[in-house]
Amino acid sequence: MLDIVRAKQKSMFIKLAFAIIILSFVIGYAMLTSPTGNGDRPNDLAASVNGSKISMEEYRSAYSNIYNLYQNIYRDQFTPALEKQLNLKRQALQQLVDQRLLAQEGEKLGMEVSKKELVDAIAKIPAFQENGVFNKQRYVDVLSYQRLTPDVFEEMQRNDLLVKKVGDYLRGEVSVSDEDIEAEFRKQNEKVNLAFVRFAPALFEDKVEIKEEALKEFFQQNQEQFRIPEKVSIRYILFDPASYVDQVKLEQQDIEKYYRRHLDQFEIPEQVRASHVLIRVARDADKEVRKKKRALAEKILAEAKAGKDFAKLATKYSDDKASVAKGGDLGYFTRGTMVKSFEDAAFALKPGELSDIVTSPFGFHIIKGSGYIEAGVKPLEDVLDEVKQGLRKELARQLAYEKAMDAYNINRKAGDLDAAAKSAGLEISESGLFTRDEPVGTLGSQPELNSAAFTLQQGALARPLNLKQGVILMTLKERQESRLPELAEVRKAVEKAFRRDKSVELAQAAADKLLADLKTAGDLNAAAGAAKLKVEETGDFARSYGDFVPRIGQSADLAKQAFTLTEEKPVADQIFEINGKFIVAVLKKHSTADMAQLDDAKREELRTSLTKKKQDEVYRAKLDELKKKAQIEISPALASLMNEG
């Protein structure tokens, strides 16, 4: 069975593409729902676009949404280093600026979003649908759960539609000529294969000799690199929602409302139960083999139709080892689980019916239906315990937050956490010292917690924070300012950095020597062999790869020079530093595009993709022009925040 299960895991890039579709919507939400969106207070202003203010609250909301978006995409792979590489702080600002500029351009052009356009767009949002149809009650419930009113949401949607309409207008009409299509075809199909040697500095680190005077000089020149960052510690009390579960009272109307808001959790997908016999056929099997396998499948189908026990036939003939021990039974499965040809045939069967012979990438199947479950939603009475449990947790968290807010409001002027803890009957916990990027003791890594902790002043209570563990009320315990260290404090880190720095020089020198030898010898394998270096190949790649070179990485210079190399002059005339490594490359093979393969269907495909590409280029150019003409000012507070880390 495992052989015919379709892989469900989507690539990271597909997830990212989907996420970006909703990102502008999220930014629009930040713009419209920010409680301090006018940026009137000096410290609240993040930026302004032609006089239209963007508040720090808007920026934080936009950044938080983008952060959570990428965190959900990359999950365990989402590290502070990746966050920095993605430059999320600048992304958040850029999204807000683009939104402002497009909205302003829409006003200048007199563009509007009609009532019908707005209604149609909202009706198409799956979150507001039941069985594929817009449901007003679900619409109201979902917005209520998100603490949004229909008026605010509809204005947010109207703004989003206006921005998209302006974007479509800016893209305009473009033309694609036959020459453009032929050039693109050549770009995609002319290919080269490079042979190369890479020099990784890490492999030279053990050759670096550390001398005390050189180390001291290196430390003095790079002391800022080893600066000890600002650290704080906090005292806090935790309002654990679990402690308030017994105080929660469930009303029938709340139970029904929770159930309606979470219908997606109780959906029953359409399912079918089936058994099968698989006659496996290798993908590269010739016609004669396929003919014999087909004949065997037809024989088995005839026996099944004659009334022979299907389970015994599966046990005797099936090549699916996972299901053969169960008489071919695959159990219940949903759509999207099996390969399409198998799925279509199985879902077309009624219990007890036999399929004709079904062809899949794995061979020939005979399928017997044995059960069917229609798509639907579990009734409330069947999931009542689950609904009550979920509602209790939700209300308990709300109650925990209310208790924390009561303690905050009573003690905020005095900033007295001890009094707040005593009145709430809670113990005070303390964290150790932590930096802006480090986990906060047992509370772990939570960006909103770190951000709030570093804005705390001595003797002040922070507003309650809703964290994974519960709701916390905290105050600052200690702050250690950032400072420059003595060499003895950071000696190991300095030695490591020194080795890394000097190893780069050694790696580059080795690459320079190989290139010089190669220009003399003309044979990469011979020159590399003499130095006991490994020669690798990129494999064929086309101009359409852009700046990406397989097995090497991003390099505009190498990608461009690769297509200028010839059999007469196969050696790239420079060292390429890519991803911290030094590359020496030569031409291995050059393949020209076969223009005979450019048929009408391919021409139309290229015309479509080139049209979109040109429209996007026009859009980006016009948006860049709007930015050049615009007065965009970034506040010192935001500039400082963006330069951190």
Side-chain angles (χ1 to χ4, degrees), residues 107-118:
E107 290 179 9
K108 288 180 185 177
L109 296 169
M111 289 186 173
E112 295 180 348
V113 175
S114 69
K115 182 71 174 177
K116 184 178 185 305
E117 288 174 315
L118 179 62

Side-chain angles (χ1 to χ4, degrees), residues 226-265:
F226 305 100
R227 174 179 286 277
I228 295 175
E230 179 186 14
K231 296 181 180 181
V232 299
S233 62
I234 59 171
R235 303 173 71 231
Y236 65 92
I237 52 178
L238 175 66
F239 293 80
D240 185 354
S243 302
Y244 302 97
V245 169
D246 293 340
Q247 299 179 35
V248 169
K249 293 182 180 180
L250 302 183
E251 302 291 343
Q252 184 61 30
Q253 62 183 24
D254 293 330
I255 292 173
E256 293 173 358
K257 193 172 182 180
Y258 181 91
Y259 170 71
R260 289 196 302 271
R261 286 204 318 262
H262 297 83
L263 283 177
D264 58 313
Q265 296 179 15

Side-chain angles (χ1 to χ4, degrees), residues 217 230 398 413 453 488 491 517 527:
E217 182 181 354
E230 179 186 14
Q398 289 179 12
K413 287 187 178 180
R491 186 178 184 90
D517 293 344

Side-chain angles (χ1 to χ4, degrees), residues 51-213:
S52 176
K53 296 176 181 178
I54 298 173
S55 72
M56 285 296 289
E57 186 68 24
E58 286 179 78
Y59 175 79
R60 290 191 193 98
S61 179
Y63 172 76
S64 177
N65 285 320
I66 292 177
Y67 183 96
N68 291 333
L69 192 66
Y70 280 93
Q71 191 174 49
N72 288 333
I73 292 167
Y74 288 99
R75 298 187 181 277
D76 294 341
Q77 299 173 21
F78 189 67
T79 61
L82 179 58
E83 178 194 355
K84 185 176 181 180
Q85 182 182 341
L86 292 169
N87 206 350
L88 300 191
K89 293 177 180 178
R90 188 159 296 279
Q91 275 197 51
L93 176 62
Q94 197 57 63
Q95 288 281 348
L96 289 167
V97 169
D98 288 354
Q99 288 274 341
R100 285 287 203 277
L101 287 172
L102 291 171
Q104 290 170 3
E105 187 67 10
E107 290 179 9
K108 288 180 185 177
L109 296 169
M111 289 186 173
E112 295 180 348
V113 175
S114 69
K115 182 71 174 177
K116 184 178 185 305
E117 288 174 315
L118 179 62
V119 170
D120 289 347
I122 292 175
K124 290 177 183 177
I125 297 175
F128 304 142
Q129 296 176 350
E130 286 186 13
N131 299 320
V133 179
F134 176 79
N135 182 283
K136 185 176 181 181
Q137 185 59 52
R138 183 153 187 172
Y139 172 64
V140 173
D141 288 342
V142 170
L143 293 186
S144 175
Y145 183 68
Q146 297 295 333
R147 293 181 172 83
L148 284 172
T149 66
D151 286 345
V152 169
F153 176 77
E154 286 163 19
E155 185 59 31
M156 175 176 70
Q157 179 73 347
R158 188 188 302 277
N159 182 72
D160 187 58
L161 290 172
L162 177 61
V163 166
K164 288 178 180 175
K165 186 177 282 193
V166 175
D168 291 341
Y169 173 81
L170 293 181
R171 285 177 175 86
E173 296 292 331
V174 297
S175 62
V176 175
S177 67
D178 289 341
E179 289 76 13
D180 292 333
I181 292 171
E182 289 166 8
E184 181 66 17
F185 183 79
R186 289 190 182 92
K187 181 179 178 181
Q188 292 183 9
N189 292 277
E190 180 187 8
K191 297 177 181 179
V192 296
N193 178 19
L194 300 179
F196 67 94
V197 174
R198 75 175 92 220
F199 295 83
L203 299 178
F204 292 81
E205 286 187 12
D206 59 352
K207 298 178 181 179
V208 175
E209 183 181 356
I210 296 180
K211 294 183 178 179
E212 190 65 21
E213 287 305 313

Side-chain angles (χ1 to χ4, degrees), residues 136 158 372 432 472 502:
K136 185 176 181 181
R158 188 188 302 277
Y372 178 76
I472 71 162
K502 296 303 178 184

